[in-house]
Amino acid sequence: MTNEEHISLTASELGFLWTGYSINEMSIWYLTAFCEQTKDEEIQNLYSFVLQKNTEIVNTRKKLLSDEGYPIPAGFSEKDINKHSSALFSDRFLLYYLHMGARLGLEFHSRSLALVLGKTSENIMGIVYIPPSASMKGS
């Protein structure tokens, strides 16, 4: 097999790619709303950082699906949220929510990486590596 031969996605790769796209695309909108609603500058910076990385993941997955000839899942949009609504949750809850979301995301991605075959897992799943030294303030 040469490098020019195309290897199609397996069913599990496509399933995790599609599901991951849907989850992360939905997340953009509540991350946006929560970023607008928090009063704490550090939490707002954290949400902005996560929102940026999440958007990169969605764009990568969208390109992967498109390049493979699959339709892009119809998800959520700006019309589904009211960015200027009053806050429903405390800043403490928003921080906890982000923590739990990160834990669930790590679980999802670790399962997906375990099932990816044939290609670089980072390329297939659209995962953006964030080095430990990455600074949120630099984003």
Side-chain angles (χ1 to χ4, degrees), residues 74-133:
F76 298 88
S77 69
E78 194 165 355
K79 68 180 179 176
D80 294 314
I81 64 163
N82 180 357
K83 289 194 281 186
H84 306 294
S85 66
S86 58
L88 295 174
F89 308 108
S90 68
D91 285 349
R92 184 175 177 171
F93 176 82
L94 293 180
L95 190 57
Y96 178 75
Y97 189 86
L98 191 59
H99 172 72
M100 293 307 295
R103 290 179 67 178
L104 292 171
L106 287 171
E107 180 184 348
F108 174 82
H109 291 299
S110 64
R111 289 177 192 229
S112 65
L113 289 174
L115 295 173
V116 172
L117 305 171
K119 297 180 184 175
T120 322
S121 56
E122 294 85 3
N123 290 341
I124 286 293
M125 300 318 297
I127 296 171
V128 178
Y129 175 69
I130 303 168
S133 62

Side-chain angles (χ1 to χ4, degrees), residues 7-114:
I7 301 172
S8 296
L9 294 175
T10 65
S12 61
E13 290 170 342
L14 180 59
F16 274 107
L17 185 59
W18 184 282
T19 303
Y21 175 87
S22 298
I23 291 169
N24 288 108
E25 200 271 337
M26 174 193 66
S27 299
I28 287 173
W29 302 108
Y30 71 75
L31 290 169
T32 300
F34 290 169
C35 186
E36 293 284 328
Q37 293 174 355
T38 185
K39 296 172 193 86
D40 186 291
E41 186 178 339
E42 288 184 70
I43 296 174
Q44 190 173 38
N45 289 340
L46 186 58
Y47 265 91
S48 294
F49 177 76
V50 172
L51 182 59
Q52 175 192 353
K53 295 304 173 186
N54 196 52
T55 302
E56 290 173 17
I57 291 170
V58 167
N59 290 337
T60 301
R61 288 182 175 159
K62 183 185 286 187
K63 182 177 179 340
L64 287 168
L65 285 168
S66 183
D67 288 351
E68 290 290 326
Y70 292 102
I72 305 302
F76 298 88
S77 69
E78 194 165 355
K79 68 180 179 176
D80 294 314
I81 64 163
N82 180 357
K83 289 194 281 186
H84 306 294
S85 66
S86 58
L88 295 174
F89 308 108
S90 68
D91 285 349
R92 184 175 177 171
F93 176 82
L94 293 180
L95 190 57
Y96 178 75
Y97 189 86
L98 191 59
H99 172 72
M100 293 307 295
R103 290 179 67 178
L104 292 171
L106 287 171
E107 180 184 348
F108 174 82
H109 291 299
S110 64
R111 289 177 192 229
S112 65
L113 289 174

